[in-house]
Amino acid sequence: NMQMTVLKTTDIISTVEFNHTGELLATGDKGGRVVIFQREPESKSEPFSQGEYNVYSTFQSHEPEFDYLKSLEIEEKINKIRWLPQQNAAHFLLSTNDKTIKLWKVSERDKRPEGYNLKDEEGRIKDITTVTSLQVPVLKPMDLMVEVSPRRVFANAHTYHVNSISVNSDYETYMSADDLRINLWHLDITDRSFNIVDIKPANMEDLTEVITAAEFHPHHCNLFVYSSSKGTLRLCDMREAALCDKHSKLFEEPEDPSARSFFSEIISSVSDVKFSHSGRYLLTRDYLTAKVWDLNMESKPLETYQVHDYLRSKLCSLYENDCIFDKFECAWNGSDSVIMTGAYNNFFRMFDRNTKRDVTLEASRESSKPRAVLKPRRVCAAGGKRRKDDISVDSLDFTKKILHTAWHPTENIIAIAATNNLYIFQDKLNSEMH
C-alpha cells in the first residue's frame, strides 16, 4: 500500500525557533503561517511521555502583497521568527517576511465574564428600559483558548529583502537586516527606525557584497555582528557611533591562493551567524564548512568543521542546479560544547568541540518513531572505499535539504525542518552527545 504525499509548497518550513525556556517552539512556512508547539508537562506515571511537543496555536502571520510602485509581488513566506523574553503570562514573538515585521501576542483565556448588565448572553445590547436591577458580572471557567493578536506592524523600512531579525538584550529594541542595510527599532514605535548600517554604494554597479545575517550579542546591548556574502564578519559597537559603517572588528580568513576556483567566492558566502550563549564565540556557516570564531581573534577561525567535504568535486553540478546558493543555518547546544548544522539527503551534522567527534544523522520517517535511536550515517566520496552502510555521493538526494535547525536552550532537544516535516529529537538517556 503505497502512500503518496503531495507536497504543497506553502507547507515548506522556512524557519524554526525555540523560545527562551524551550517550552514553546515556533515554525514559519512559505504560506505565511506560524505554528507554535508547546511541550507537554512530565507525567509521573509515564517517564517517557515528557517533552512531547503538541500544536498549541496556528495563525496566518503574513499575506501575499503587491508593491504597485515597483510592480513586485511580495511573498508571504516567513523568513525569521524571534521570541521576546517572557515578562508576563503572555508570550510575544516577532515574525518577518521580505518586507514587513510583525509583533504578535500569544495569550491564554480559560475564563469568561458572564452576567453583563447592558448586554445579553450573545453580546447584543439590551433595551435599557428592560434593565430593572444591577448585577455584578462574574468570571466563569471555560475551555482553554489560545488567542493570537497582532500588536505592532513595522513596515516600510526595507527596500531589499529582510534576512534577519534579532531582539536586543535590553528587551526594548530589536534590529532587522536586509541585503544592504540594518535598522534598529524600538519595540513600541512602528513609524520610525534608525539606520545603523548602510553598505549601499553610491553607484549600484560598484556593489560587491551583501549582508547575509545579523545578530545582537546575548549580553552586551551595544554589540552586534553581521556577516557578508564575501565571507567576512563585522562586529559593531553602537556606543562608538550612531552609524556603524566602521566596524570595530573584522573577522576574515585569508584565502588559500592554491585553492582558488571559479566557485571560491560563492561558497565562502556566510549563510548564518550565531553568538554562543556565553557571548565569547561566533558560529558561522558557509556552503561547505561551519566555523567557530573567538571574539578576541580576528585573523582566522578557532575551529573549522567540514560539513560535507565530499561535495567539493561536485560544485559544477551544484552550481547548475542552483543548490550552491542554498542557505544553511547553524545552532549551538545550551552549553556551547556541540554545534549542529544541516546538509543534503535530509542529513544533519553535529560536531563536539571537546572530543572533536562528529556524527551525521538522518531526519526520516523511520527515525521519527517514538524512542527510535538515530543511526549514524556515512557518505563516501566519489572513488572512495565503500563500507557496508555507506551512501555514495552520487546517490544523495539534493532536493532533500535541512536548512533550518534549532536547539533547545538548555536540554538536548533539537528541532529539524525537512521541507514540510518538522522532526523533534530528544536524547532521553544523557544530555551529552555520543
Side-chain angles (χ1 to χ4, degrees):
N1 179 10
M2 283 266 304
Q3 186 193 354
M4 275 202 52
T5 32
V6 181
L7 171 61
K8 294 217 305 280
T9 52
T10 51
D11 292 338
I12 294 175
I13 298 170
S14 50
T15 183
V16 282
E17 188 77 9
F18 281 101
N19 76 339
H20 294 257
T21 61
E23 178 212 2
L24 299 176
L25 170 69
T27 66
D29 68 22
K30 277 191 98 155
R33 273 184 310 272
V34 173
V35 181
I36 301 174
F37 298 85
Q38 183 184 44
R39 192 178 186 191
E40 295 301 312
E42 190 163 9
S43 104
K44 297 265 187 298
S45 56
E46 305 171 67
F48 278 114
S49 72
Q50 198 233 343
E52 295 298 311
Y53 281 82
N54 292 321
V55 174
Y56 178 63
S57 176
T58 303
F59 62 97
Q60 190 71 29
S61 172
H62 288 69
E63 303 280 355
E65 292 172 64
F66 193 77
D67 182 334
Y68 290 97
L69 289 174
K70 298 202 181 79
S71 290
L72 275 182
E73 275 185 68
I74 301 163
E75 276 192 302
E76 65 272 41
K77 173 184 165 226
I78 308 293
N79 293 346
K80 283 288 185 294
I81 290 172
R82 288 290 178 263
W83 292 90
L84 273 60
Q86 195 176 1
Q87 288 172 317
N88 54 29
H91 295 273
F92 288 87
L93 63 86
L94 289 166
S95 68
T96 185
N97 66 351
D98 283 342
K99 297 285 181 221
T100 305
I101 303 132
K102 296 184 180 182
L103 175 68
W104 295 91
K105 179 184 181 181
V106 184
S107 51
E108 291 185 355
R109 270 228 328 242
D110 60 355
K111 295 186 179 61
R112 66 160 175 255
E114 280 185 9
Y116 285 108
N117 291 293
L118 299 177
K119 290 182 193 164
D120 62 17
E121 294 311 315
E122 269 73 58
R124 290 187 292 262
I125 300 290
K126 290 183 191 170
D127 177 4
I128 293 189
T129 55
T130 64
V131 180
T132 54
S133 63
L134 290 179
Q135 55 180 343
V136 178
V138 288
L139 285 172
K140 291 274 180 71
M142 62 174 230
D143 287 342
L144 178 70
M145 263 179 60
V146 180
E147 297 186 319
V148 181
S149 52
R151 304 305 300 206
R152 308 260 187 283
V153 176
F154 304 89
N156 306 323
H158 285 280
T159 313
Y160 307 98
H161 292 188
V162 177
N163 55 48
S164 306
I165 42 178
S166 179
V167 179
N168 200 348
S169 58
D170 63 10
Y171 304 160
E172 285 188 358
T173 56
Y174 77 91
M175 68 177 170
S176 55
D178 67 27
D179 299 331
L180 298 179
R181 296 194 177 109
I182 301 177
N183 291 331
L184 180 70
W185 301 84
H186 192 287
L187 281 160
D188 291 333
I189 301 168
T190 57
D191 57 355
R192 64 176 182 273
S193 62
F194 293 95
N195 178 231
I196 51 174
V197 171
D198 185 350
I199 65 165
K200 185 180 177 185
N203 180 355
M204 281 296 265
E205 286 172 12
D206 300 334
L207 183 68
T208 58
E209 66 178 329
V210 293
I211 298 166
T212 55
E215 191 179 60
F216 270 118
H217 189 284
H219 317 302
H220 300 302
C221 60
N222 52 303
L223 294 179
F224 67 91
V225 68
Y226 71 90
S227 58
S228 92
S229 56
K230 277 199 159 167
T232 61
L233 304 172
R234 290 179 175 85
L235 185 75
C236 302
D237 186 344
M238 293 192 290
R239 287 182 186 167
E240 287 178 9
L243 190 64
C244 300
D245 287 352
K246 294 187 182 61
H247 48 268
S248 308
K249 288 188 175 186
L250 175 71
F251 300 84
E252 186 172 21
E253 189 167 27
E255 192 185 25
D256 171 7
S258 66
R260 174 128 190 96
S261 79
F262 171 74
F263 303 110
S264 298
E265 203 156 299
I266 304 173
I267 63 173
S268 65
S269 175
V270 175
S271 51
D272 195 17
V273 58
K274 294 266 168 50
F275 273 102
S276 62
H277 295 80
S278 67
R280 163 102 194 247
Y281 303 104
L282 290 165
L283 169 62
T284 61
R285 173 69 207 264
D286 55 41
Y287 191 63
L288 293 176
T289 68
K291 293 174 181 170
V292 173
W293 302 76
D294 187 319
L295 280 196
N296 302 321
M297 186 167 82
E298 296 167 67
S299 55
K300 61 176 194 292
L302 201 58
E303 300 151 23
T304 299
Y305 299 98
Q306 300 297 334
V307 177
H308 36 208
D309 204 40
Y310 46 79
L311 294 184
R312 266 183 212 280
S313 59
K314 293 254 174 283
L315 294 176
C316 246
S317 53
L318 290 162
Y319 177 74
E320 280 163 13
N321 65 14
D322 273 354
C323 284
I324 203 166
F325 302 107
D326 285 335
K327 294 177 169 56
F328 291 95
E329 294 170 9
C330 49
W332 295 90
N333 73 340
S335 60
D336 297 337
S337 60
V338 184
I339 62 168
M340 166 175 65
T341 190
Y344 292 106
N345 210 59
N346 279 359
F347 289 170
F348 58 99
R349 303 272 281 135
M350 288 185 170
F351 301 93
D352 188 311
R353 299 180 56 214
N354 302 325
T355 64
K356 297 298 175 212
R357 280 194 294 225
D358 66 90
V359 65
T360 301
L361 300 169
E362 182 181 6
S364 67
R365 290 286 163 94
E366 289 68 56
S367 61
S368 63
K369 297 189 175 69
R371 294 190 269 300
V373 177
L374 288 180
K375 275 206 323 275
R377 308 298 306 255
R378 288 176 53 89
V379 179
C380 68
K385 271 177 66 176
R386 227 174 123 177
R387 297 205 292 226
K388 189 165 77 75
D389 288 334
D390 284 5
I391 298 133
S392 127
V393 168
D394 298 316
S395 58
L396 293 176
D397 185 343
F398 290 104
T399 62
K400 294 181 173 167
K401 45 194 102 172
I402 307 276
L403 302 176
H404 313 288
T405 60
W407 205 311
H408 187 290
T410 53
E411 294 178 52
N412 251 10
I413 300 175
I414 55 174
I416 306 282
T419 48
N420 60 335
N421 294 315
L422 176 72
Y423 294 94
I424 298 171
F425 298 116
Q426 33 194 325
D427 192 343
K428 293 285 199 238
L429 303 170
N430 62 354
S431 59
E432 278 311 305
M433 181 187 98
H434 287 336

